[in-house]
Amino acid sequence: MYNVKAAAGTIALVQDEHELIVEYLDVPFVGMVDGAIEVVGESMLPTLCPGARAAVKKLEDKTLLNWGEVYYVIDANYEGYVKRLYPGSDDTFITLKSDNPNAGLYPPIARKWEHIVAIFKVKADITKH
């Protein structure tokens, strides 16, 4: 546990290591999670609203995915993306897609597998009502 002042979902440099900052959760009905990240932006509307928290669990094997489901992906630039994942143009790529119907503002993103640092399964949406 480190005293880092950063928003949940930020990838911070802590003791020379990149660390994902998450909020602690105690929600047994969701199952095992590593914590919650904040959803930033409108790319996943209407599925996930800006400011909502997404409960995430890191995949031990980042290649074992359920295509079409929502994941939090961290790339080699230590940028995080909440997106639906699909196969890429060949087996060296994956495609990250937004749910927002305005595809012109949120086009699909292609990433090479070798540029993916970590993948977390989004297990639940925790939205304030």
Side-chain angles (χ1 to χ4, degrees):
M1 195 64 105
Y2 303 103
N3 186 15
V4 176
K5 302 248 188 250
T10 301
I11 296 98
L13 194 59
V14 178
Q15 296 182 350
D16 295 325
E17 295 286 329
H18 287 94
E19 298 283 339
L20 174 62
I21 307 303
V22 296
E23 292 177 345
Y24 173 74
L25 290 178
D26 186 17
V27 285
F29 59 88
V30 173
M32 296 294 294
V33 296
D34 293 316
I37 61 164
E38 181 176 351
V39 176
V40 177
E42 298 181 348
S43 71
M44 289 304 289
L45 279 173
T47 307
L48 298 169
C49 298
R53 299 302 190 264
V56 296
K57 175 72 176 153
K58 186 174 182 181
L59 300 181
E60 294 301 321
D61 183 342
K62 64 184 179 186
T63 63
L64 292 177
L65 302 171
N66 295 319
W67 298 122
E69 292 189 7
V70 180
Y71 292 88
Y72 181 65
V73 177
I74 300 173
D75 69 15
N77 287 325
Y78 293 98
E79 290 289 327
Y81 303 90
V82 176
K83 302 288 183 190
R84 287 193 189 275
L85 297 187
Y86 296 92
S89 56
D90 63 42
D91 62 359
T92 65
F93 283 89
I94 61 171
T95 302
L96 293 70
K97 292 186 178 181
S98 301
D99 282 358
N100 192 309
N102 190 341
L105 287 178
Y106 305 101
I109 299 169
R111 286 288 182 268
K112 282 191 165 197
W113 275 111
E114 65 190 59
H115 297 143
I116 302 297
V117 173
I119 299 179
F120 294 76
K121 174 75 175 110
V122 173
K123 297 196 61 154
D125 170 22
I126 304 165
T127 305
K128 255 187 184 178
H129 294 282

